Structure formats: structure tokens, C-alpha cells
Amino acid sequence: MKILVPVKRAIDYNVKVRVKADNSGVDLTNAKMAINPFCEIAVEEAVRLKEKGIAEEVVVVSVGNKSCQEQIRTALALGADRGIQIDTDESLDSLQIAKLLAKVVEKEAPKMVILGKQSIDSDNNQTGQMLAALTNMPQGTFASQVEVDGDSVKVTREIDGGLQTIALTLPAVVTTDLRLNEPRYASLPNIMKAKRKPLDVMPASDFGVELTSNVKVIKVEAPAQRKGGVKVADVAELVDKLKNEAKVI
Amino acid sequence: MTVLVYAEHDNSQLKSETAKLVHAATKIGGDIHVLVAGSNCEGIASEAAKIDDVAKVLLVDNENFEHQLAENTADLLVEIGKDYSHILASASTTGKNFMPRVAALLDVAQLSDVIGVESDDTFVRPIYAGNAIATVQSSDSIKVLTVRASAFDAQATGNNAEIEKLDKGSEAKGVSFVGEELTESERPELGAAEIVISGGRGMQNGENFALLEGIADKLGAAIGASRAAVDAGFVPNDMQVGQTGKIVAPQLYIAVGISGAIQHLAGMKDSKVIVAINKDEEAPIFQVADYGLVGDLFDILPELEKSV
């Protein structure tokens, strides 16, 4: 079967972000960018399914300007077969991304779409669910285990009280949680090979999707800073402070 | 303008998030209806009817909603929700699962993890693991929001709202429930606890988390963990506090053997009082802690248990 893996170029998770002085957004100039960690897990899972002989082809897709080709190449170096860049300079909401991806699903007809559960920049946690809705597929979100069995997939999901297992009829959408797998590192020969793998560029305007959002960002601010606290000398002083100063115990 | 609030419950208990969501709904304005969808959940509807300012409780009691699978819950919300101006669900794993599906089917955007309501169309939400706070305005005809319950106080109770039963609900296609494995605990729920004590990699192994239990029991606290502790297999993942785990804002948060990575801080830095216990005095956790104690947790924890 064919697996489609959407990936996102996002700020590296170790970078401490800075809010722009004019409060229009976050300053990404010169910031280190990377493949969103949850997307990396999605690529790894798809590649593992290929290695098990369950998947024949892994197609990665990313929506963004030319720079996101870097992340598509990373995914190709990890073992994906070919890439698609949906070219746009607009910054899109999850809904528009999901609509674009739905068109790719229509064209590619994958048996499974594996996405990260959220991107660490917008923290939305929406795209997979929206894509499932638009393509009328069942969804297995926050997956920590994926087992394909013929025409269905068993997904163990991380839920608030513990774990839940559901069975989905393929084609289906799965979104990855952190504990699904440990992504591999790309080796230098694989990085070289990835340069020759096919990568199609398609302008987003060709997809017939309305790309304007109904959500307007009014301002982006830095969160309130916590005041630096005090160091206490011992347990007795700590308990005394908590009881008599902070009055929380 | 009428706001629909999806009640968070597990078929036996109405979760405390619901009253917090109703409080958020009062800031939007208009009438407030609460939807209780589940199986054998009449008791939950009566609990929801007690929340102040709720005008009506809609009860959909149908075995197809027992596990609140995203596919049929979303269809139900699309059918009922199209007559509302706002639809709110908790930013729990349940709400996060079905709400984007609802939004896509209604062809509107979804605003995730809302922590503030400025007006009926303007909302505040954290981005970049809480390192930036965005104020956003939506011009969609129906505003679909998931709400971070810990950012709102619980609405008082004492009301007696009307309960309307609706006969709805079809079986979800293409998905079936196989089973679940829930973590048993007698302590308060992590998301709702007044006091949380969390352990990190410094705990060294799962057995040592027992050192937190005595303190948690004495304080009536919930026990949490950092991602490092979960990944190392010390404790189950539903105890994880952070950007990818639970987001908590208790009165008191005690971080033990936790360095304070960005990812962890995203889940607890809105706690009222933060205590850090760590042997590394350079650990970033001390920059957000109100009270820091530098030392070996294996000496400190038993002493702390004796003195609280």
C-alpha cells in the first residue's frame, strides 16, 4: 500500500523564541528550522511499515515556500520514496492545509495518511482530524502503537486516563504521539541519495482551494514573566514558607 | 447568540473541566447550553444542570457514544451545533480528538487551547509551547474552540436547568472500540488537583516515585512527571506534564529532579506557586521557581514527608 506523510518545517524545538517588538508575530529571522518532531515520528513509522513489507511506497508532502524542500529532503533521507511540495508563500491555517492535503489524498489515493499530532509552533493539533473529516476517513489520533492487519489498522491511542485501542478500516488517518517510535538519523549516503529522489513542486493556487483564513492574528505577545524566587536553605524553611508566606499548604 | 458547551465526562462522572468551560462561556455572552453525549449518562446531565448560568442541558444517551469516538461525536456536534454561534469543548484528549473534525465539517477554523476570552469573536491562545501568546479574531459564522480548562475558574453550582432529551446518534463507520487500559489512582486527577508533585529524570527509577507518594497523600496532591521520566519508563505517559502531555495550573507545583526544559515549563508555568528541588543549582527550573531548594532529593523527600 501507499502511505502519505505530510511534514512541516518548524522552528527547531530547542530554540527559545523571541516575540517581535511590534507584536506582529514571532521573529524567525535566522532561527534554526527543522522538521517538526511529531512529523519526524510519522516519517519513521511509515518507513518502518515499508521495511516490514506492509507499505510499498512512502510519499511525503509539505505545504510552504521553497525552503520546506529542505524538510522534504530530510524525510527522503530517512527513507521516504518521493516528495511533493505544495508551493505557497501564504501562512495557512490548519483548515486550508487540510483542504490542500485532501486534494493530494484524492489524487494519490493512499491507504494510510500518517501525520504528527501537532506542530510545535502553532500547537494546534488539528490538521489530521480535519483531513480525516474532509476525506471521510476514520481517524486514530495520538497513536503510540500502530498495527496493520490486512484491510484494517489497530491504533493504540494516548488518552488522558491511560491508553485506548481502536480498530480503523483502511484507508485511515493516523496522527503520531511522541512515544510511537524513536526516529533514526539519516546517514550521509542516504542524504546524498535523497538528493536524487523525485520531488514535485505544485503551486497551491492550482488546487482550487480558497486560501484565505477567517482568523486574523491581532497581536502576539511574550507571556508574563515569573518573578525570580528565593532559594531556601533547608526543608524546614521551605515548609515554613509554604505554610506562612505562600499559604498553599 | 447561543453557546454550546460539550460536557467532559466518562459516563460515570462529570469532569471538573465542564464547570470551567461554562465559566469561559459566560465571558462570551448569550445563552449557554451544555451537551451531554454518552451512554447511561442521565446522572451526568443532572450534574451539568446544576452549573450556574446554564440555560439548558441537551442529553443524548445512546450506546454509540459510550467511548465518544471522534467520528460519531463529530457528526452529532455538526448536526446540533449548526444552530449555535459558538461550540466549546475542553482541550482534553477527547476534545482535541473530535473538535477539529467538527470544524472541518462545518467549514470553519478551530481555535485550540483558548486561555482567554476578550469578546465574542476575539480569543487568546498560547503558541510555541507557551513562549508566545496570540490574540486572534475569528470572522467565522460558528466559532469552534477548545478551551484550556485550567485557565478558567469553575462556575459555581446551585442551578436547576431544564434537561432536554434528544434521540440522536448513529454508529460510527470504519472505526470500532477494541479496549482500554486506564491508570488506576486514588489521588486527585492531575488536571484538576490543587497541588501537584512531579518527578523527573533525577528520580532515577520508577520505584523511587514511591518517595513522592507519601508526600502526595499528606497534601492531597496528584503526582506528575516530566517527559524524561516517562520516556525512561519510570511512570506511565498519562502522568506527563508538558507541551505534549497535560497542562496544569495548580496552587502549588513541586518539581523534583526536573531540570525545567521549555517543553516541561509549557505545562506548568502558570502554577500559582512553584517549588523546585534539584541538586543542580544552575537548573533552569530555578528561574521560574518561587522557592528553590538545592540538594539531593533522596535526602530531602523523606524529610519533607515528615514535615508536612
Side-chain angles (χ1 to χ4, degrees):
Chain A
M1 68 179 179
K2 187 194 280 185
I3 299 181
L4 183 72
V5 185
V7 300
K8 184 175 185 182
R9 174 181 170 89
I11 195 161
D12 184 88
Y13 73 98
N14 278 315
V15 175
K16 178 112 176 78
V17 298
R18 270 175 306 133
V19 170
K20 285 187 197 165
D22 65 357
N23 292 118
S24 63
V26 164
D27 189 2
L28 296 178
T29 336
N30 300 325
K32 187 180 171 205
M33 302 297 278
I35 187 167
N36 177 48
F38 291 98
C39 301
E40 204 176 0
I41 293 169
V43 173
E44 175 67 29
E45 194 64 18
V47 171
R48 288 187 189 188
L49 288 169
K50 195 181 161 194
E51 287 168 347
K52 282 185 200 157
I54 293 167
E56 283 104 43
E57 190 184 26
V58 177
V59 182
V60 264
V61 53
S62 192
V63 182
N65 63 20
K66 197 166 185 288
S67 58
C68 75
Q69 288 188 7
E70 202 184 313
Q71 279 61 47
I72 297 176
R73 291 287 174 204
T74 305
L76 295 175
L78 294 170
D81 297 292
R82 63 183 166 94
I84 300 170
Q85 181 215 345
I86 302 177
D87 189 47
T88 174
D89 279 321
E90 308 267 336
S91 118
L92 303 177
D93 279 352
S94 309
L95 183 62
Q96 281 91 38
I97 303 268
K99 285 180 178 178
L100 290 168
L101 294 175
K103 298 277 182 186
V104 179
V105 166
E106 202 178 292
K107 182 164 168 284
E108 297 279 343
K111 273 277 183 190
M112 209 187 316
V113 185
I114 311 182
L115 306 87
K117 77 164 179 180
Q118 74 189 65
S119 64
I120 60 163
D121 46 12
S122 60
D123 279 334
N124 273 328
N125 196 330
Q126 300 173 359
T127 307
Q129 295 90 315
M130 288 180 160
L131 176 64
L134 297 174
T135 54
N136 203 19
M137 286 195 254
Q139 66 186 52
T141 52
F142 328 143
S144 61
Q145 208 182 334
V146 173
E147 275 174 83
V148 179
D149 179 18
D151 246 355
S152 80
V153 58
K154 217 196 261 179
V155 178
T156 301
R157 308 178 52 234
E158 298 201 358
I159 59 168
D160 285 333
L163 298 170
Q164 179 194 64
T165 304
I166 54 174
L168 311 174
T169 313
L170 296 174
V173 172
V174 171
T175 74
T176 63
D177 219 315
L178 279 172
R179 270 160 292 275
L180 181 58
N181 60 47
E182 189 81 43
R184 70 194 66 190
Y185 290 98
S187 66
L188 188 59
N190 284 345
I191 293 170
M192 300 310 288
K193 257 190 263 171
K195 289 189 205 283
R196 293 191 300 273
K197 289 186 180 176
L199 198 168
D200 288 336
V201 179
M202 302 181 199
S205 50
D206 287 3
F207 282 70
V209 169
E210 178 60 64
L211 295 177
T212 50
S213 167
N214 285 335
V215 177
K216 194 169 77 187
V217 176
I218 295 177
K219 61 181 174 190
V220 174
E221 296 163 301
Q225 289 299 314
R226 289 190 77 97
K227 277 191 239 90
V230 294
K231 292 246 171 78
V232 294
D234 52 31
V235 170
E237 191 188 344
L238 175 64
V239 172
D240 175 64
K241 295 259 193 204
L242 290 178
K243 276 188 179 148
N244 302 316
E245 196 177 272
K247 297 188 170 48
V248 283
I249 59 170
Chain B
M1 206 169 68
T2 315
V3 182
L4 182 66
V5 173
Y6 181 87
E8 181 88 8
H9 68 88
D10 61 2
N11 292 312
S12 64
Q13 212 185 353
L14 181 71
K15 297 287 177 73
S16 60
E17 282 97 327
T18 311
K20 296 178 180 178
L21 261 62
V22 171
H23 186 82
T26 61
K27 292 174 184 275
I28 295 171
D31 282 346
I32 300 169
H33 294 179
V34 174
L35 169 66
V36 175
S39 178
N40 290 318
C41 56
E42 271 194 52
I44 290 162
S46 352
E47 281 299 303
K50 290 183 190 152
I51 303 172
D52 283 357
D53 292 314
V54 171
K56 187 155 82 170
V57 174
L58 306 174
L59 170 62
V60 181
D61 198 334
N62 182 316
E63 59 182 23
N64 289 328
F65 293 113
E66 187 177 352
H67 303 293
Q68 301 173 46
L69 296 176
E71 291 76 2
N72 48 10
T73 304
D75 285 349
L76 174 72
L77 270 160
V78 169
E79 190 187 341
I80 296 178
K82 60 182 185 315
D83 301 327
Y84 287 83
S85 59
H86 297 73
I87 307 174
L88 273 59
S90 168
S92 62
T93 52
T94 313
K96 282 176 181 168
N97 190 30
F98 67 73
M99 279 295 256
R101 218 174 153 104
V102 173
L105 294 172
L106 292 170
D107 197 23
V108 298
Q110 187 209 285
L111 303 177
S112 296
D113 239 339
V114 167
I115 57 168
V117 176
E118 303 263 291
S119 71
D120 62 357
D121 67 356
T122 306
F123 305 92
V124 182
R125 58 176 302 263
I127 51 177
Y128 291 90
N131 289 302
I133 306 295
T135 303
V136 292
Q137 188 174 34
S138 163
S139 57
D140 276 321
S141 54
I142 303 177
K143 276 90 173 160
V144 173
L145 323 176
T146 61
V147 175
R148 181 178 293 184
S150 64
F152 296 91
D153 296 329
Q155 186 77 347
T157 53
N159 192 9
N160 185 17
E162 172 203 349
I163 298 175
E164 186 186 341
K165 283 191 192 174
L166 301 176
D167 185 17
K168 287 185 193 301
S170 52
E171 206 174 334
K173 284 180 211 76
V175 57
S176 57
F177 175 82
V178 177
E180 62 190 1
E181 218 178 291
L182 300 180
T183 308
E184 299 290 333
S185 174
E186 295 189 351
R187 298 200 179 83
E189 219 182 318
L190 195 49
E194 291 283 300
I195 300 178
V196 173
I197 181 162
S198 286
R201 201 192 292 277
M203 299 300 294
Q204 293 182 5
N205 60 46
E207 287 76 61
N208 288 336
F209 267 74
L211 293 170
L212 304 180
E213 286 169 12
I215 303 169
D217 289 341
K218 279 187 152 176
L219 295 175
I223 298 183
S226 70
R227 186 182 153 197
V230 173
D231 281 352
F234 299 172
V235 290
N237 58 51
D238 56 313
M239 283 170 66
Q240 185 190 329
V241 173
Q243 184 185 19
T244 58
K246 287 206 180 71
I247 295 175
V248 300
Q251 291 293 304
L252 172 62
Y253 189 89
I254 307 175
V256 184
I258 293 176
S259 64
I262 295 175
Q263 199 277 339
H264 186 74
L265 298 182
M268 45 64 82
K269 68 183 165 60
D270 293 322
S271 305
K272 185 162 172 271
V273 174
I274 297 174
V275 169
I277 298 171
N278 206 302
K279 65 179 178 194
D280 174 11
E281 68 183 292
E282 302 297 318
I285 190 80
F286 287 119
Q287 290 162 20
V288 299
D290 300 279
Y291 303 109
L293 180 51
V294 179
D296 188 341
L297 64 92
F298 295 102
D299 299 331
I300 291 170
L301 289 177
E303 201 185 331
L304 185 61
E305 184 177 342
K306 266 184 245 142
S307 12
V308 291

